[in-house]
């Protein structure tokens, strides 16, 4: 490594600070030795299979093709999931993150309102192809990335702030940079700079739900690329402001959260990756529980859509207030439909299933009628239970009765379901033998000497050059 010149104007030495900065605390926590039990190892494996499966299913969608299309071909470069192209490490991280987010079916950390897996794991997959790393180092990096992004995000975001800024675009670069610092083996000083640099590269606005703009799909791509870039710059000696998170002009102050943020304690209890759930269906997180409850009411009470006269939905305040979740239409674009709780519930009641086909546009007259019957309300008890639980209540008024129901929490996709849909997607995209090899590799990941072969298995070029 070339010699590095220290620029004291950019960072106050830790010894001269009254207390460690938040970035340094995060870096120290990320790099500290951790012993993870079988449950945590299994969760990393499930989240990785979720990313792989969603990315392969998304490969032919417009935003996926666009993300792959801008990646320059590099002979012997880093693979893109499901694509016959090798590229730079940053462009691979970008493309793979967009692919993983392409279905709107990704893992969810409710307290930070963030999808951390579609940033942290694509960043690590890309780096593991250029920086030899063992399976356990990959696992430790992933757990640290989720932890730092989730804890900072939970302290940073309020319901009102999330109406303006996309949480994943803020938490993703920070968590991804922390994960990358672990994978690269940075020391605390350089890991602190990686996190501080990433704080300068956060972004993502929540205007898209109102108009259905597709920039939402690219937020994790920007975050993953910026996480990789931040860590690689820090590895070469670039120094970010140590107070980039909690300084007078740091991220918390910029988002008007410097005076009110709660204390942050990393790895205080079970790792935050254990609080993540894997979505069962491709739609907004906040629509999942209400749609599941609608389906339950149909099946338990034999309700027919044509007999419904009113639909009353109660959800936590965070769900009712998140941009697009309360939309009654009009719906001209896919993302407007996928974000809307009224749309999701009405489509579930009409079709009797929860699946991608529920969000086809334009809608018909019966769907219009059901949407006109919906009332969406905030519920104090459900709000108090959030984010530990994400519940919903519903009433369906019928000509001769009222049907009521409640779900205390979202029903997540099980590890077996995540594995099955990943295997199906990999078989469709890459063939049965390759799908089996991917599953075997992920199963044995904790003992893997090198993670690079996994990236090659995920490519559609058979391991060759572009």
């Amino acid at each position: 490594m070339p010699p590095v010149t220290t620029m004291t104007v950019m960072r106050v030495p830790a010894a001269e600070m009254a207390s460690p900065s938040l970035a340094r605390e995060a870096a120290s926590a990320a790099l500290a030795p951790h012993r993870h039990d079988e449950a945590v190892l299994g969760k990393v494996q499930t989240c990785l299979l979720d990313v792989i499966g969603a990315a392969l299913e998304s490969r032919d969608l417009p935003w996926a093709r666009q993300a792959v299309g801008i990646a320059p071909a590099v002979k012997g470069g880093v693979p893109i999931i499901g694509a016959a192209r090798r590229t730079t490490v940053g462009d691979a991280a970008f493309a793979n993150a967009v692919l993983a987010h392409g279905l709107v079916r990704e893992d969810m950390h409710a307290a930070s309102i963030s999808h951390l897996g579609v940033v942290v794991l694509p960043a690590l997959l890309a780096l593991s192809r250029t920086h030899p790393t063992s399976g356990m180092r990959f696992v430790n990096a992933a757990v640290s990335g989720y932890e730092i992004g989730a804890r900072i995000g939970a302290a940073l975001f309020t319901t009102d702030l999330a109406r303006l800024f996309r949480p994943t675009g803020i938490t993703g670069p920070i968590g991804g940079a922390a994960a990358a610092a672990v994978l690269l083996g940075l020391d605390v000083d350089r890991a602190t700079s990686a996190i501080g640099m990433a704080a300068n590269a956060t972004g993502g606005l929540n205007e898209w739900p109102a108009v259905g703009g597709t920039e939402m799909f690219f937020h994790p791509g920007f975050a993953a690329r910026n996480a990789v870039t931040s860590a690689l710059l820090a590895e070469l000696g670039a120094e970010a402001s140590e107070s980039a998170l909690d300084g007078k002009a740091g991220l918390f102050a910029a988002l008007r959260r410097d005076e009110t943020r709660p204390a942050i304690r990393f790895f205080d209890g079970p790792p935050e990756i254990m609080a993540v759930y894997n979505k069962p269906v491709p739609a907004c997180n906040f629509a999942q529980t209400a749609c599941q409850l609608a389906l339950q009411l149909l099946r338990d009470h034999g309700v027919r859509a044509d007999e419904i006269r009113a639909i009353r939905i109660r959800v936590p305040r965070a769900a009712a207030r998140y941009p697009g979740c309360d939309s009654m239409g009009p719906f001209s674009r896919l993302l407007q439909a996928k974000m809307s709780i009224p749309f999701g519930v009405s489509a579930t009641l009409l079709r009797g299933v929860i699946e991608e086909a529920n969000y086809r546009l334009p809608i018909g007259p019966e769907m219009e009628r059901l949407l006109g019957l919906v009332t969406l309300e905030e519920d104090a008890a459900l709000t108090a239970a959030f984010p530990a639980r994400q519940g919903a209540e519903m009433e369906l008024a019928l000509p001769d009765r009222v049907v009521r129901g409640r779900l205390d929490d979202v029903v997540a996709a099980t590890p077996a379901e995540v594995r099955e849909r990943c295997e199906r997607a990999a078989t469709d995209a890459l063939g049965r033998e390759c799908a089996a090899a991917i599953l075997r590799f992920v199963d044995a990941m904790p003992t893997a000497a090198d993670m690079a072969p996994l990236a090659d298995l995920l490519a559609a070029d058979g391991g060759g050059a572009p």
Side-chain angles (χ1 to χ4, degrees):
M1 184 177 294
V4 176
T5 300
T6 301
M7 299 179 65
T8 57
V9 296
M10 298 192 67
R11 183 174 60 215
V12 178
E16 297 179 18
M17 299 180 69
S19 61
S21 68
L22 181 56
R24 181 168 290 273
E25 289 181 352
S28 297
L31 297 175
H34 298 287
R35 293 179 62 87
H36 301 304
D37 61 22
E38 290 297 321
V40 175
L41 295 178
K43 188 66 174 182
V44 174
Q45 290 167 310
T46 296
C47 290
L48 181 57
L49 290 177
D50 210 12
V51 161
I52 292 169
L56 289 170
E57 283 190 57
S58 298
R59 68 192 188 280
D60 292 326
L61 296 175
W63 32 93
R65 290 187 174 275
Q66 291 154 7
V68 174
I70 66 168
V74 175
K75 186 176 182 179
V78 180
I80 296 173
I81 297 174
R85 180 177 300 201
R86 305 277 170 136
T87 189
T88 68
V89 62
D91 286 303
F94 177 88
N96 288 338
V98 175
L99 283 157
H101 197 39
L103 298 177
V104 199
R105 191 196 69 202
E106 56 289 299
D107 64 35
M108 177 71 193
H109 184 263
S112 64
I113 325 177
S114 297
H115 308 299
L116 292 163
V118 293
V119 179
V120 169
L121 296 172
L124 293 178
L125 282 171
L127 283 170
S128 70
R129 188 58 178 73
T130 57
H131 295 72
T133 187
S134 69
M136 274 311 302
R137 182 180 285 272
F138 187 100
V139 167
N140 290 333
V143 174
S144 288
Y146 275 84
E147 182 76 13
I148 303 310
R151 295 276 185 177
I152 289 175
L156 179 63
F157 272 94
T158 63
T159 297
D160 290 336
L161 186 60
R163 291 183 66 81
L164 300 174
F165 295 99
R166 181 88 188 281
T168 301
I170 307 295
T171 61
I174 295 167
V182 175
L183 186 146
L184 295 174
L186 303 187
D187 62 22
V188 172
D189 284 343
R190 295 193 180 192
T192 300
S193 274
I195 291 169
M197 200 71 71
N200 282 273
T202 58
L205 303 174
N206 259 344
E207 177 63 13
W208 58 273
V211 297
T214 61
E215 66 263 41
M216 184 274 295
F217 293 113
F218 301 104
H219 288 158
F222 298 138
R225 188 192 339 241
N226 287 338
V228 167
T229 300
S230 296
L232 291 176
L233 285 171
E235 184 183 39
L236 293 176
E239 291 184 301
S241 305
E242 182 162 326
S243 51
L245 290 174
D246 53 356
K248 292 182 179 179
L251 181 64
F252 275 83
L255 297 180
R256 300 295 187 263
R257 291 286 287 141
D258 54 328
E259 299 295 335
T260 56
R261 75 173 176 91
I264 302 173
R265 296 181 177 88
F266 302 106
F267 290 105
D268 181 22
E272 284 299 304
I273 193 171
M274 301 306 293
V276 163
Y277 85 91
N278 300 91
K279 285 184 182 179
V281 295
C284 173
N285 162 65
F286 289 122
Q288 303 274 327
T289 313
C291 290
Q292 290 175 339
L293 179 54
L295 188 61
Q296 179 179 302
L297 292 178
L298 280 182
R299 294 174 175 175
D300 289 352
H301 298 279
V303 175
R304 300 193 322 271
D306 61 3
E307 63 178 341
I308 297 173
R309 297 295 179 264
I311 305 167
R312 187 179 183 185
I313 309 166
R314 299 187 186 92
V315 294
R317 184 173 189 269
R321 292 275 294 163
Y322 197 81
C325 285
D326 61 350
S327 177
M328 301 292 186
F331 300 98
S332 60
R333 297 190 180 185
L334 175 70
L335 283 178
Q336 293 171 311
K338 285 199 170 189
M339 291 303 299
S340 169
I341 297 172
F343 188 104
V345 167
S346 297
T348 301
L349 293 171
L350 179 62
R351 303 189 71 249
V353 293
I354 309 172
E355 61 183 15
E356 183 72 14
N358 285 19
Y359 300 97
R360 287 176 182 162
L361 299 173
I363 63 175
E366 182 62 6
M367 183 68 176
E368 276 284 4
R369 185 187 76 83
L370 290 173
L371 278 166
L373 302 176
V374 173
T375 302
L376 182 68
E377 303 171 356
E378 299 176 15
D379 180 86
L382 295 173
T383 298
F386 183 84
R389 291 177 295 170
Q390 184 173 291
E393 293 183 354
M394 193 175 301
E395 294 179 4
L396 302 179
L398 310 176
D400 59 344
R401 57 188 169 138
V402 175
V403 173
R404 297 182 178 87
R406 176 188 176 99
L407 270 182
D408 288 328
D409 201 1
V410 63
V411 179
T414 66
E417 289 168 338
V418 171
R419 183 185 182 88
E420 188 277 331
R421 66 195 189 193
C422 178
E423 182 177 14
R424 183 174 63 247
T427 300
D428 290 345
L430 304 172
R432 189 172 302 279
E433 289 186 10
C434 189
I438 291 167
L439 293 176
R440 284 196 302 271
F441 191 101
V442 174
D443 287 343
M445 185 171 65
T447 62
D450 186 8
M451 287 294 292
L454 177 60
D456 289 327
L457 283 171
L458 299 176
D461 63 2

